[in-house]
C-alpha cells in the first residue's frame, strides 16, 4: 500500500494525467466513450487526476492552513444546499442535480490541489502544450475558413471528415463540429467544441513579451493575430464578444492591479462584477435588437428569446435561493437534459439564486485571497490578463452553455492554476 501511495505521489504521473485530460478536451470535441466503461475518456482522466490529488492532499494535510478548513466547509455546505437539499424540495430529481452540477462542482478540486503548480516544470509543460496547440489550432481554423471560401463545394466532405474523427455524431446529429455558411452573405462558421479555448490564447499573447520576431512582427503579436483570426473564423458571436471584452478590459485591469491594493472584499467584488455586468446583454436577447445591428440569426435567436423569458419567470419564483441544480423552467430545450440551457448565466441564477451566486463568489474570493501578496507588483501583467480572461469567460457564457461542461471546467481551472503559478513565481523573485 505504501508503495502504491508513493507512486501516486509522483508529480510526473499527475501532470501526465492532466496533460491527457487537456489533450482530450483540445482534440476530441464532445469526447469519445471508452467501450469497456461506457463513459468518456475525459471523465476517466479527470477522475484519475482528482483521485491522485486527494491522495496527495491527505498525505500533506498537516501542512494545510486553518483557513483552508473554512473554505472546505463552505464548499461542502454550498454543494449540500444547492445539489441536494433545494433540489429535493423543488423538483426531487437528485440524479439530474448531480449531473447538472458535476462540471461546476469539479472546480472544487482546486481546493485540494492548490500545490499543483509548485512543481513548476510540470506546469510549464502544460502551458507549452496549450500555447503550441492554440497556435496550430488557430491556423487550422483560418486554413479551413479560406479553403471553404475558395472551394465551397467541398463543405460537405470536409465537415463529414472532421465530424467522423472528432465528434459523437455526423451531419445533423453532430454536436461540437460545424463547418457551415451561417450568415446570409455566405461567411462560413468554422467551429469545434474546443474553439472556446482559443480565448486562452489572448492571455498568452499579452503576458510573455519576447524578443523573438517573425519578419518585423514580434512573436506575441503573431500569436494575437492568429487567435483573433481564428475567433473571427468561428463566426460565433459569444467568442467574438469574449475577445472584445478581453481586449477592452486588459489595459484597465493592468492599471487597476498596479494602483489599487487588493483585499478580500475587492477580490469578492471583482469576482461578482462581470456576472452582474453580463446582464447588460439582456436587451440583445431580443431578436429584433440583433437584427438591427446585423448579427441576427433567426432560429437560434428565437430560441434564446423564449429561453430567457422562461428562465426569468422561474427565477422570480425563488430569487434568493433558486430552484437548485437539475431544475428547469417551463421551456425545455432538450427532453433528455431538461436542465440544460444555452443562456447559462441566467440559468445559473435561476438554479442557485442571488444568495447562491454571492456564496460562490465569497468562497472563491477566500481561495484567491490566500495567494495575495500585498505590495507585490511583479505579477501585475499576468494577474490583469487573467482577470480580463475571467471576464471574457463570463461574458461568453451568457449566450452559450460552456460553464456547464468540461470545457468551462478546464477554462476556469486553467485560470486558477495559472494564478497560483504566477503568484508563487512573484513571491520567489
Amino acid at each position: 500500500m505504501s508503495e502504491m501511495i508513493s507512486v501516486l505521489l509522483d508529480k510526473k504521473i499527475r501532470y501526465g494525467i492532466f496533460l491527457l485530460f487537456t489533450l482530450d478536451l483540445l482534440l476530441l470535441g464532445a469526447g469519445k466513450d471508452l467501450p469497456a466503461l461506457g463513459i468518456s475518456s475525459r471523465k476517466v482522466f479527470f477522475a484519475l487526476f482528482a483521485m491522485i490529488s486527494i491522495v496527495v492532499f491527505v498525505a500533506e494535510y498537516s501542512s494545510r492552513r486553518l483557513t483552508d478548513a473554512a473554505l472546505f466547509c463552505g464548499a461542502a455546505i454550498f454543494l449540500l444546499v444547492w445539489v441536494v437539499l433545494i433540489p429535493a424540495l423543488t423538483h426531487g430529481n437528485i440524479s439530474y442535480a448531480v449531473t447538472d452540477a458535476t462540471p461546476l462542482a469539479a472546480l472544487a478540486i482546486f481546493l485540494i490541489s492548490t500545490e499543483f503548480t509548485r512543481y513548476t516544470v510540470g506546469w510549464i509543460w502544460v502551458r507549452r502544450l496549450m500555447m503550441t496547440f492554440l497556435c496550430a489550432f488557430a491556423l487550422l481554423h483560418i486554413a479551413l475558413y479560406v479553403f471553404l471560401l475558395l472551394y465551397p463545394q467541398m463543405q460537405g466532405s470536409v465537415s463529414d471528415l472532421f465530424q467522423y474523427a472528432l465528434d459523437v455524431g455526423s451531419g445533423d446529429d453532430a454536436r461540437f463540429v460545424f463547418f457551415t455558411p451561417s450568415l446570409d452573405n455566405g461567411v462560413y462558421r468554422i467551429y469545434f467544441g474546443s474553439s472556446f479555448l482559443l480565448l486562452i490564447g489572448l492571455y498568452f499573447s499579452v503576458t510573455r513579451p519576447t524578443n523573438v520576431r517573425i519578419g518585423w512582427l514580434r512573436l506575441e503579436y503573431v500569436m494575437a493575430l492568429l487567435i483573433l483570426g481564428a475567433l473571427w473564423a468561428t463566426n460565433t458571436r459569444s467568442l467574438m464578444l469574449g475577445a472584445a471584452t478581453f481586449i477592452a478590459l486588459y489595459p484597465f485591469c493592468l492599471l487597476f492591479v498596479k494602483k489599487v491594493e487588493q483585499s478580500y472584499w475587492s477580490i469578492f467584488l471583482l469576482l461578482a462584477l462581470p456576472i452582474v455586468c453580463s446582464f447588460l446583454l439582456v436587451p440583445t436577447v431580443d431578436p429584433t435588437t440583433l437584427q438591427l445591428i446585423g448579427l441576427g440569426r433567426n432560429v437560434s435567436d428565437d430560441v434564446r428569446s423564449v429561453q430567457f423569458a422562461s428562465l426569468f419567470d422561474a427565477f422570480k419564483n425563488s430569487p434568493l435561493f433558486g430552484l437548485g441544480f437539475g431544475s428547469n423552467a417551463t421551456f425545455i430545450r432538450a427532453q433528455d437534459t431538461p436542465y440544460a440551457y444555452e443562456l447559462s448565466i441566467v440559468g445559473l441564477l435561476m438554479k442557485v439564486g442571488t444568495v447562491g451566486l454571492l456564496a460562490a463568489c465569497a468562497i472563491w474570493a477566500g481561495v484567491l485571497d490566500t495567494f495575495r501578496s500585498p505590495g507585490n507588483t511583479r505579477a501585475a501583467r499576468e494577474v490583469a490578463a487573467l482577470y480580463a480572461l475571467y471576464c471574457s469567460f463570463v461574458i461568453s457564457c451568457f449566450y452559450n452553455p460552456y460553464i456547464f461542461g468540461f470545457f468551462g471546467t478546464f477554462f476556469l481551472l486553467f485560470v486558477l492554476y495559472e494564478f497560483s503559478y504566477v503568484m508563487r513565481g512573484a513571491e520567489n523573485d
Side-chain angles (χ1 to χ4, degrees):
M1 180 63 71
S2 60
E3 291 182 1
M4 181 181 297
I5 292 176
S6 65
V7 169
L8 290 175
L9 290 176
D10 189 325
K11 297 179 178 68
K12 295 180 182 178
I13 291 178
R14 188 155 54 137
Y15 278 95
I17 292 172
F18 192 83
L19 281 170
L20 289 173
F21 173 66
T22 302
L23 283 170
D24 191 300
L25 282 167
L26 294 173
L27 296 174
L28 295 182
K32 298 293 185 181
D33 285 349
L34 297 174
L37 300 176
I39 60 175
S40 67
S41 53
R42 70 187 49 165
K43 291 180 180 178
V44 173
F45 293 142
F46 189 84
L48 288 172
F49 174 74
M51 180 186 71
I52 297 176
S53 296
I54 292 171
V55 171
V56 173
F57 170 75
V58 171
E60 299 177 351
Y61 182 76
S62 60
S63 63
R64 304 292 293 201
R65 294 163 295 193
L66 182 61
T67 53
D68 292 335
L71 294 171
F72 298 147
C73 290
I77 292 171
F78 181 90
L79 294 175
L80 177 64
V81 171
W82 279 280
V83 182
V84 180
L85 295 181
I86 293 179
L89 295 173
T90 53
H91 57 82
N93 195 323
I94 304 301
S95 176
Y96 275 176
V98 171
T99 303
D100 188 23
T102 294
L104 279 175
L107 286 172
I109 196 64
F110 182 76
L111 287 169
I112 60 173
S113 60
T114 54
E115 90 302 331
F116 186 51
T117 56
R118 286 191 186 279
Y119 181 53
T120 56
V121 174
W123 186 247
I124 287 171
W125 274 104
V126 174
R127 300 175 87 258
R128 286 177 178 171
L129 170 66
M130 287 295 297
M131 284 189 280
T132 303
F133 178 87
L134 289 174
C135 287
F137 199 35
L139 281 171
L140 177 63
H141 279 72
I142 296 169
L144 286 170
Y145 185 86
V146 173
F147 179 80
L148 292 179
L149 283 179
L150 295 175
Y151 303 101
Q153 69 275 14
M154 296 295 293
Q155 182 268 329
S157 299
V158 174
S159 181
D160 288 344
L161 174 64
F162 277 90
Q163 287 177 0
Y164 176 78
L166 304 177
D167 217 329
V168 293
S170 61
D172 293 337
D173 295 326
R175 294 173 55 196
F176 282 94
V177 178
F178 303 101
F179 305 153
T180 56
S182 58
L183 295 179
D184 294 337
N185 59 7
V187 175
Y188 275 86
R189 183 187 191 197
I190 308 301
Y191 180 81
F192 302 83
S194 48
S195 296
F196 170 59
L197 301 178
L198 285 168
L199 291 172
I200 296 177
L202 295 175
Y203 166 78
F204 287 126
S205 68
V206 301
T207 55
R208 295 294 176 184
T210 67
N211 293 319
V212 179
R213 293 181 179 271
I214 299 178
W216 55 274
L217 283 175
R218 284 167 52 171
L219 182 61
E220 58 267 28
Y221 297 161
V222 174
M223 183 175 187
L225 291 173
L226 282 176
I227 296 298
L228 290 173
L231 289 170
W232 172 263
T234 66
N235 196 13
T236 302
R237 293 170 302 186
S238 62
L239 296 187
M240 290 188 280
L241 183 60
T245 300
F246 181 92
I247 294 169
L249 285 183
Y250 173 65
F252 295 100
C253 294
L254 188 58
L255 181 64
F256 178 85
V257 170
K258 288 181 176 179
K259 299 294 184 182
V260 178
E261 182 68 28
Q262 282 94 51
S263 65
Y264 170 83
W265 290 110
S266 67
I267 296 172
F268 171 80
L269 291 173
L270 288 171
L271 288 176
L273 184 61
I275 298 173
V276 174
C277 290
S278 70
F279 284 89
L280 294 174
L281 297 171
V282 167
T284 64
V285 174
D286 184 349
T288 57
T289 303
L290 293 172
Q291 292 291 344
L292 286 174
I293 58 178
L295 294 176
R297 296 175 189 170
N298 292 333
V299 176
S300 62
D301 291 343
D302 291 340
V303 171
R304 283 176 172 82
S305 179
V306 175
Q307 277 186 43
F308 176 78
S310 182
L311 286 168
F312 190 69
D313 285 341
F315 165 72
K316 288 190 293 186
N317 292 329
S318 183
L320 291 180
F321 294 94
L323 301 177
F325 284 102
S327 60
N328 61 270
T330 304
F331 175 83
I332 295 177
R333 184 75 173 86
Q335 293 297 328
D336 56 336
T337 54
Y339 45 81
Y341 293 95
E342 290 165 308
L343 297 174
S344 56
I345 299 297
V346 184
L348 184 62
L349 181 64
M350 180 268 288
K351 292 170 185 179
V352 303
T354 52
V355 172
L357 278 176
L358 292 175
C361 289
I363 293 168
W364 286 107
V367 174
L368 297 179
D369 190 49
T370 62
F371 291 97
R372 184 167 50 89
S373 182
N376 191 335
T377 59
R378 151 68 179 80
R381 180 188 294 268
E382 290 86 350
V383 172
L386 283 171
Y387 183 66
L389 187 63
Y390 165 69
C391 292
S392 72
F393 171 84
V394 173
I395 296 300
S396 295
C397 287
F398 186 84
Y399 295 109
N400 284 287
Y402 305 120
I403 197 170
F404 287 107
F406 268 110
F407 290 116
T409 301
F410 175 82
F411 196 111
L412 290 176
L413 275 179
F414 174 84
V415 172
L416 291 167
Y417 283 133
E418 180 69 6
F419 179 75
S420 66
Y421 166 77
V422 166
M423 296 309 295
R424 288 191 175 107
E427 290 171 1
N428 293 332
D429 283 351

